Amino acid sequence: MKLPIYFDYQATTPMDPRVLDAMLPYFTEVFGNAASRSHAFGWKAEEAVENARAQIAAAIGANPKEIVFTSGSTEAINLAIKGVAEMYAEKGKHIVTSLVEHKAVLDTCKHLEKNGYEVTYLTPEKTGRITLEAVKAALRDDTILVALMWANNEIGTLNPVREIGALCHEKGVLFFSDATQAVGKVPVDVEADHVDLLCLSGHKIYGPKGVGCLYVRRKNPRVRLVAQIDGGGHERGMRSGTLNVPGIVGLGKACELARTDLEKDAKHASELRDYFESKIFAALDHVHLNGDKDHRLPTNSNLSFKYVEGESMIMGIKDIAVSSGSACTSASLEPSHVLRAMGVGDELAHSSIRFGFGRFTTKEQVDFAVEHVVAAVKRLRELSPLYEMVQEGIDLSTVNWQGGGTH
Ligand code: PLP
């Protein structure tokens, strides 16, 4: 087995060879600028872009004209939220989002707050889910946008998107969903789910990095946006810049595979994930599942190993590539904002590890991971005075910590 083994599919995915094959001709033979209208080089590039647009639209139940290419989800999120905020400012300046969104959403909202907008950040349930009731209670007459993710990148929790979408449509409020982690793992249908804007990204679905798109509804209602990048008026004026043709072809192919292989991929990942969790829970005590067991991506397992520090754990399982619930985005050891918003205490947040299972994960790899995780947790707990006390039956809540101790 080739080491280290990849269990970080939420961070990015390896490219599917079928995607690479589709892209290759567009780097060399078919290199035209899709905006060149005067010759065959341009026409061929444009044909490839339009084919990809149709593949992407088919994956999410949209019309190809509703797809706007971007450099990935971060850019699509900026375009969706700032674009709506600026376009509908006269209608209202209130936005509803949640505390567990990706930083691309949170930082964009913070930017708008500095510019006179008001943002309500919903607190999730303990499982990380945003309830319909919470959204309902937050809506105001001046609310112009609800921005809630389809699936959380850390804990895999799925929001009740369809119900929230229906509510937003009933109230005449636009609904944007960050579906970066959802596409290809759970069914996504912008019509049935009442979504007005949605983003996805190539590198999370076995496609290339640096390419993604924003779905922008064209009817019932027609969503209008203020462009965030001005230039030649590409993408119906919503996002200027020469199109990344090979990347777009790759995104199209990745979306086609996400649609055709969805059930197979989801079954494969969830079987391995469930097998992994059953082995871990059988071998170790004091393991806590972060997230919503019933409403969760098939690919995700976020576990806290009590009495083990996440970063030590990552060092202890060097042959397994995973992420921890602390540190991820910065040099400081801040616990994850997602786990914190869910009310997970700092100790459990610091001991959390995110495992991701994907198209190319094998049972052999999972067996290897189980063996190494169990061994590492046992080894690290042997060094933990707290764990020793628990084993001796000491009730930690009665201990007087003054005069030292671990933090
Ligand atoms: N939204 C979510 C939920 C994500 O997981 C990510 C990826 O980290 C992003 C947005 C940003 O995507 P991109 O890397 O395409 O900018």
Side-chain angles (χ1 to χ4, degrees):
M1 216 179 332
K2 216 170 136 217
L3 299 177
I5 302 170
Y6 196 68
F7 281 97
D8 204 12
Y9 277 80
Q10 301 91 338
T12 194
T13 50
M15 195 144 76
D16 191 301
R18 293 170 288 181
V19 173
L20 180 63
D21 285 348
M23 289 171 70
L24 282 175
Y26 295 90
F27 287 104
T28 50
E29 295 150 46
V30 195
F31 61 84
N33 186 328
S36 296
R37 293 276 149 79
S38 53
H39 49 68
F41 294 90
W43 303 334
K44 279 194 175 167
E46 191 192 13
E47 193 183 308
V49 166
E50 293 317 312
N51 182 47
R53 218 185 281 282
Q55 288 169 315
I56 297 160
I60 58 169
N63 182 306
K65 287 189 180 138
E66 298 175 311
I67 304 300
V68 176
F69 290 113
T70 64
S71 62
S73 279
T74 301
E75 187 195 328
I77 288 166
N78 273 266
L79 174 57
I81 300 179
K82 292 177 186 167
V84 163
E86 289 172 25
M87 181 58 81
Y88 296 90
E90 280 187 8
K91 192 167 172 235
K93 286 190 148 191
H94 180 237
I95 294 169
V96 176
T97 187
S98 84
L99 289 169
V100 295
E101 299 301 305
H102 190 270
K103 291 284 178 179
V105 169
L106 295 175
D107 289 350
T108 301
C109 287
K110 272 189 216 144
H111 171 90
L112 288 175
E113 281 181 297
K114 283 191 207 133
N115 290 291
Y117 289 82
E118 248 187 282
V119 182
T120 299
Y121 297 90
L122 301 175
T123 301
E125 295 195 297
K126 274 200 171 77
T127 60
R129 250 187 150 215
I130 303 297
T131 63
L132 180 66
E133 291 65 37
V135 181
K136 208 180 269 178
L139 293 180
R140 311 190 318 208
D141 289 345
D142 60 342
T143 308
I144 48 171
L145 179 71
V146 169
L148 292 170
M149 68 205 317
W150 206 295
N152 186 277
N153 47 302
E154 291 191 27
I155 49 173
T157 297
L158 295 161
N159 276 327
V161 169
R162 185 166 295 190
E163 291 77 10
I164 294 170
L167 170 72
C168 290
H169 274 188
E170 185 196 315
K171 303 281 183 192
V173 175
L174 294 177
F175 179 39
F176 163 61
S177 189
D178 172 359
T180 311
Q181 295 287 344
V183 170
K185 293 163 199 144
V186 290
V188 168
D189 182 330
V190 291
E191 281 306 322
D193 296 314
H194 313 287
V195 176
D196 299 312
L197 298 128
L198 172 149
C199 67
L200 59 91
S201 179
H203 75 107
K204 307 286 187 179
I205 53 171
Y206 310 96
K209 292 174 179 56
V211 62
C213 70
L214 181 66
Y215 154 77
V216 186
R217 179 177 285 281
R218 272 169 70 88
K219 60 174 201 266
N220 307 322
R222 183 186 182 94
V223 178
R224 292 182 310 131
L225 295 177
V226 172
Q228 301 299 308
I229 297 182
D230 297 310
H234 307 73
E235 297 300 271
R236 299 191 157 73
M238 281 188 263
R239 200 278 194 175
S240 290
T242 300
L243 292 178
N244 167 7
V245 178
I248 287 168
V249 168
L251 180 65
K253 186 68 187 176
C255 280
E256 183 186 83
L257 297 174
R259 180 174 62 80
T260 56
D261 293 8
L262 185 127
E263 265 179 51
K264 190 172 86 183
D265 283 350
K267 184 167 179 287
H268 174 73
S270 65
E271 280 174 3
L272 289 176
R273 190 267 316 269
D274 293 347
Y275 171 72
F276 169 80
E277 286 185 350
S278 70
K279 290 273 179 188
I280 293 286
F281 281 108
L284 297 169
D285 52 8
H286 304 293
V287 182
H288 174 82
L289 173 75
N290 298 308
D292 193 310
K293 207 166 187 311
D294 302 323
H295 304 100
R296 188 165 52 137
L297 287 174
T299 45
N300 195 291
S301 177
N302 189 315
L303 303 176
S304 283
F305 300 91
K306 220 172 168 188
Y307 313 114
V308 174
E309 209 268 310
E311 291 299 297
S312 320
M313 176 80 172
I314 286 190
M315 303 288 276
I317 48 171
K318 277 211 180 75
D319 287 330
I320 301 166
V322 289
S323 287
S324 84
S326 47
C328 358
T329 49
S330 65
S332 67
L333 279 181
E334 273 292 296
S336 123
H337 71 280
V338 173
L339 298 178
R340 202 168 240 186
M342 287 159 60
V344 175
D346 281 3
E347 195 203 329
L348 270 188
H350 276 306
S351 71
S352 88
I353 302 280
R354 180 185 71 180
F355 299 88
F357 303 79
R359 194 176 278 168
F360 305 117
T361 311
T362 65
K363 179 160 178 297
E364 195 190 9
Q365 291 177 334
V366 175
D367 281 326
F368 181 92
V370 169
E371 195 184 306
H372 281 70
V373 169
V374 170
V377 170
K378 287 189 170 163
R379 198 169 59 239
L380 290 164
R381 280 183 178 167
E382 270 173 26
L383 306 172
S384 159
L386 285 184
Y387 188 65
E388 198 182 326
M389 288 161 89
V390 171
Q391 293 304 97
E392 283 167 10
I394 297 170
D395 179 357
L396 294 183
S397 62
T398 64
V399 176
N400 176 3
W401 296 106
Q402 278 179 0
T406 40
H407 294 275

